Amino acid sequence: MQTEVADVLRKVGSKIESYGLNTWQLRTLSAIKKCRTAQLGGHIDACDQCGNLTISYNSCRNRHCPKCQGNKREDWIEARSTELLPVPYFHLVFTLPDSINALAIHSPKLVYDTLFEATWETIQTFGKTKEMQMGMIAVLHTWGQQLSLHPHLHCIVPGGGIAKNGQWQNSRTDGKFLFPVKALSKVFRAKYCAKLKEKEPIKYEQIRQELWQKPWIVFAKKPFGSPKSVVEYLGRYTHKIAISNRRIKTIDNENVTFEYKDYRVAGVKKQMTLTHQEFIRRFALHILPKRFVKIRHYGFLSSTWKREKLKLLQEKLEVKVLEKAEKKLFLPKCPCCKTGNLHRIAVFDQRGPPAWYLGGSQSSIPYKN
């Protein structure tokens, strides 16, 4: 049976309140612990072939829950697929140095908002030299493979922009190169530090020397093979969380052992063991502030621009626009006969299934809402 983050939280129980977490982190972890359990209520489904009744418990739908991201990811990918252009796309990663981690723990919204702002201004700066408006989709990740704090933005940037005449303009004719990464790194650091100094001058002065000691990292991958592969690729990143349940190998009364990739030795898979408290502390580092937006669209990929001008641009570039498919009702397969579909016939709250169900044909499966 697959071990889960929720299992660690159940092992810890009420001791979690002594771990020094804030109320928002505790609320989030409580939701994850209750996900697909009787505490959130559920529903009863009937098979349209064999008549078997199946009980399913509700999902918490929290964006930090390892069990609740699949449907959201697919919906996001489907929406972006209708917005593609027949141009080269590039994947850039903008990473903050570890000298800012202490500030990120105490003021996450400040640090992460500034990361988005500085990254977009950096891209804009390079676009302005070619007199074109750029576009960008950025997804915030805050973790490393060992659950340490490692804030970075995964950005998809089309290889060009909108010229003053409203026409598409490639950043380079060969489509194999966007901007020089060393130059991007220098501008990114300058932009970020200037913004941090303006927002928090005292905190900036405390870490100023460390921020300027080392070069900042901007990583650029090769352009994608096709526009469609861009969205599918970025879909891997949009709804990721700090650790998936499949990476957790064992949980005992004291420790959690999980798998990670060591990128210092070519991504070799290794295992790490942490105490329950340390595992939960690291996991909680990546719980974002309430209502914080972790996926943002900029320039000609922003919602306003797309609503007003995207179709016109796609027509100019002779794009065969994909119509958004009508969402079909999802009917899970029956776990008993494996052929019939399950149809919901009753719902219940945390008090449990209705009296008429108890004592009948009963089975229980996890269910994605």
Side-chain angles (χ1 to χ4, degrees):
M1 188 175 177
Q2 175 65 58
T3 49
E4 302 179 346
V5 172
D7 295 328
V8 184
L9 297 171
R10 282 189 276 271
K11 287 271 188 184
V12 167
S14 60
K15 287 191 294 184
I16 197 171
E17 295 177 10
S18 65
Y19 288 177
L21 305 177
N22 62 41
T23 53
W24 180 244
Q25 290 169 330
L26 289 171
R27 279 177 61 184
T28 300
L29 294 172
S30 176
I32 294 171
K33 182 170 70 172
K34 294 174 183 176
C35 186
R36 299 184 195 175
T37 69
Q39 289 177 283
L40 293 184
H43 42 87
I44 298 169
D45 300 317
C47 176
D48 56 16
Q49 294 293 320
C50 68
N52 182 64
L53 298 181
T54 301
I55 188 170
S56 305
Y57 295 116
N58 293 332
S59 304
C60 68
R61 302 191 183 189
N62 191 287
R63 63 174 170 174
H64 301 95
C65 177
K67 292 184 284 193
C68 291
Q69 307 311 308
N71 287 354
K72 294 178 185 177
R73 183 188 304 114
E74 293 307 313
D75 290 344
W76 189 90
I77 290 173
E78 187 179 319
R80 299 290 80 75
S81 296
T82 64
E83 302 166 358
L84 293 171
L85 301 172
V87 302
Y89 284 81
F90 295 82
H91 179 193
L92 304 179
V93 184
F94 290 77
T95 304
L96 291 177
D98 57 10
S99 50
I100 210 163
N101 283 0
L103 182 59
I105 292 172
H106 292 101
S107 304
K109 189 175 188 306
L110 165 73
V111 170
Y112 302 151
D113 276 338
T114 307
L115 173 56
F116 276 104
E117 292 164 14
T119 298
W120 173 232
E121 286 193 14
T122 299
I123 296 296
Q124 278 185 306
T125 297
F126 282 79
K128 284 175 183 176
T129 62
K130 295 179 180 289
E131 298 186 326
M132 59 187 180
Q133 182 188 19
M134 302 293 293
M136 179 179 83
I137 301 174
V139 183
L140 174 68
H141 282 186
T142 61
W143 56 85
Q145 279 283 303
Q146 298 178 8
L147 289 182
S148 55
L149 196 59
H150 179 62
H152 56 284
L153 277 190
H154 289 276
C155 305
I156 295 298
V157 182
I162 311 301
K164 287 183 178 179
N165 61 5
Q167 300 295 319
W168 175 261
Q169 177 183 324
N170 281 335
S171 58
R172 275 174 57 124
T173 54
D174 58 11
K176 295 181 180 178
F177 181 79
L178 185 62
F179 303 124
V181 289
K182 287 187 178 179
L184 280 170
S185 300
K186 289 179 180 178
V187 174
F188 171 52
R189 177 172 61 181
K191 295 279 187 187
Y192 193 97
C193 289
K195 286 184 170 296
L196 188 60
K197 183 179 181 180
E198 181 185 342
K199 295 177 180 181
E200 291 286 349
I202 296 175
K203 290 178 180 176
Y204 170 73
E205 284 301 323
Q206 291 171 348
I207 59 175
R208 177 177 59 83
Q209 190 173 352
E210 293 177 66
L211 292 177
W212 288 91
Q213 266 179 350
K214 298 176 184 177
W216 289 30
I217 305 294
V218 175
F219 180 71
K221 295 193 176 183
K222 292 180 181 179
F224 294 92
S226 68
K228 186 179 180 183
S229 64
V230 176
V231 175
E232 292 172 354
Y233 182 85
L234 190 58
R236 302 179 201 169
Y237 292 92
T238 53
H239 295 84
K240 263 191 176 182
I241 60 161
I243 187 169
S244 61
N245 284 331
R246 61 183 172 75
R247 284 177 54 198
I248 300 175
K249 298 306 175 186
T250 60
I251 303 170
D252 59 29
N253 291 329
E254 301 291 333
N255 301 309
V256 183
T257 299
F258 64 92
E259 188 177 78
Y260 71 95
K261 291 179 182 177
D262 189 343
Y263 289 112
R264 291 173 297 183
V265 284
V268 172
K269 288 186 178 181
K270 298 181 179 180
Q271 291 192 350
M272 171 173 280
T273 299
L274 302 174
T275 64
H276 292 167
Q277 182 170 354
E278 178 60 13
F279 178 85
I280 291 171
R281 184 194 74 81
R282 293 194 189 191
F283 186 87
L285 286 174
H286 312 294
I287 295 174
L288 296 173
K290 191 174 183 179
R291 288 190 286 272
F292 186 87
V293 181
K294 64 171 281 190
I295 307 173
R296 303 187 187 184
H297 300 70
Y298 294 91
F300 66 81
L301 293 178
S302 66
S303 298
T304 305
W305 201 97
K306 286 186 293 190
R307 191 162 49 243
E308 296 175 357
K309 303 174 183 176
L310 177 64
K311 283 190 177 179
L312 182 62
L313 178 60
Q314 288 178 323
E315 286 172 9
K316 288 179 180 177
L317 294 173
E318 299 180 352
V319 177
K320 187 177 179 182
V321 180
L322 296 172
E323 292 298 326
K324 195 171 182 181
E326 188 177 335
K327 197 158 185 179
K328 295 179 182 178
L329 179 65
F330 172 70
L331 294 174
K333 287 293 179 185
C334 175
C336 180
C337 68
K338 311 292 185 186
T339 57
N341 294 318
L342 296 178
H343 298 263
R344 189 173 301 184
I345 60 171
V347 296
F348 56 87
D349 59 21
Q350 65 270 25
R351 288 174 295 183
W356 60 262
Y357 173 82
L358 299 175
S361 172
Q362 300 176 34
S363 61
S364 179
I365 62 169
Y367 176 75
K368 283 189 180 181
N369 275 11

